[in-house]
Amino acid sequence: EAGVVQSPRYKIIEKKQPVAFWCNPISGHNTLYWYLQNLGQGPELLIRYENEEAVDDSQLPKDRFSAERLKGVDSTLKIQPAELGDSAVYLCASSKTSNEQFFGPGTRLTVL
Amino acid sequence: QQQVKQSPQSLIVQKGGISIINCAYENTAFDYFPWYQQFPGKGPALLIAIRPDVSEKKEGRFTISFNKSAKQFSLHIMDSQPGDSATYFCAARGTASKLTFGTGTRLQVTL
């Protein structure tokens, strides 16, 4: 069974530029999560989808961050414009039940 | 507000020794407490988990001890191996199945 796929794995951009991350969850997993992981910290939830509906986006900085999961499968997280403080690892996870979340390898973003 | 406090920040254990990582929480509504293992360049992977109605859960060399009254839980890794060297995160699940993670413990197992 394929795991959660994320791309790109690494991204380097200059501040004020836009950036997008893509996630394909495990087949059959209706719940999808985007997390932010700063260096030396645990993951912090940005947004959670149940199918195509964003059911928890309370931690998503909506002035510059947006996300979509149009067909209830893969998802895109966008930042526009990126700031220096956005440098971090962006993790996607999916789950079939409310228990185990399966994480992808993450996208490491560096904003210069 | 940090709701799950994890210690130590880093840990060095000799091969064959016992690694112990501790977590404390504040929210009594948490109903599920998983531990995740993360290797460099990888996403976290579920290692073992426990519910608050159980005081201990063991899976192979990994054991969670849970103290509901003290609002504390810990991960014990018996017979620690170099391959166990990774960062470990405790977490707690609250309302709407939201996971709150600790800050992580970087474990190094030396030969």
Side-chain angles (χ1 to χ4, degrees), chain B residues 1-47:
Chain B
Q1 179 185 7
Q2 183 185 3
Q3 298 188 50
V4 180
K5 295 183 179 180
Q6 184 172 346
S7 63
Q9 186 174 17
S10 63
L11 182 62
I12 300 175
V13 173
Q14 281 196 329
K15 178 182 176 182
I18 302 173
S19 303
I20 302 175
I21 304 170
N22 301 298
C23 283
Y25 63 96
E26 301 167 2
N27 188 347
T28 55
F30 288 147
D31 65 354
Y32 174 73
F33 300 86
W35 284 89
Y36 283 82
Q37 179 187 57
Q38 186 175 28
F39 293 103
K42 304 290 186 182
L46 180 66
L47 188 62

Side-chain angles (χ1 to χ4, degrees), chain B residues 1-5 24-34 50-53 66 68 71 73 91-95 97-101:
Chain B
Q1 179 185 7
Q2 183 185 3
Q3 298 188 50
V4 180
K5 295 183 179 180
Y25 63 96
E26 301 167 2
N27 188 347
T28 55
F30 288 147
D31 65 354
Y32 174 73
F33 300 86
I50 197 168
R51 296 188 182 277
D53 55 347
F66 190 86
K68 188 175 181 178
K71 292 186 285 186
F73 58 111
R93 186 179 69 187
T95 56
S97 299
K98 180 176 180 178
L99 282 180
T100 299
F101 286 83

Side-chain angles (χ1 to χ4, degrees), chain A residues 9 33 35 37 40-45 48 56 58-59 91 98-106, chain B residues 9 32 36 38 41-46 51 89 93 95-104 106:
Chain A
R9 291 295 315 278
Y33 314 77
Y35 287 88
Q37 186 174 26
Q41 299 294 316
E44 298 172 36
L45 181 68
R48 177 170 70 98
D56 184 358
S58 58
Q59 301 304 310
L91 293 164
S98 60
N99 287 354
E100 184 171 2
Q101 296 182 24
F102 294 82
F103 285 82
Chain B
Q9 186 174 17
Y32 174 73
Y36 283 82
Q38 186 175 28
K42 304 290 186 182
L46 180 66
R51 296 188 182 277
F89 293 95
R93 186 179 69 187
T95 56
S97 299
K98 180 176 180 178
L99 282 180
T100 299
F101 286 83
T103 51
R106 180 174 291 186

Side-chain angles (χ1 to χ4, degrees), chain B residues 48-88:
Chain B
I48 186 173
I50 197 168
R51 296 188 182 277
D53 55 347
V54 176
S55 62
E56 184 176 283
K57 184 174 182 179
K58 183 177 181 179
E59 291 184 0
R61 296 185 294 110
F62 301 92
T63 300
I64 300 178
S65 296
F66 190 86
N67 186 329
K68 188 175 181 178
S69 61
K71 292 186 285 186
Q72 295 175 348
F73 58 111
S74 61
L75 176 69
H76 296 233
I77 306 175
M78 312 299 288
D79 187 26
S80 298
Q81 299 296 313
D84 297 330
S85 298
T87 300
Y88 293 81

Side-chain angles (χ1 to χ4, degrees), chain A residues 63-107:
Chain A
D63 56 336
R64 297 184 300 107
F65 287 66
S66 64
E68 60 183 16
R69 193 185 185 198
L70 294 176
K71 296 183 178 179
V73 181
D74 56 351
S75 176
T76 302
L77 178 68
K78 298 178 181 178
I79 308 175
Q80 182 172 8
E83 297 179 352
L84 296 176
D86 296 332
S87 296
V89 175
Y90 291 83
L91 293 164
C92 179
S94 69
S95 68
K96 194 171 185 178
T97 70
S98 60
N99 287 354
E100 184 171 2
Q101 296 182 24
F102 294 82
F103 285 82
T107 296

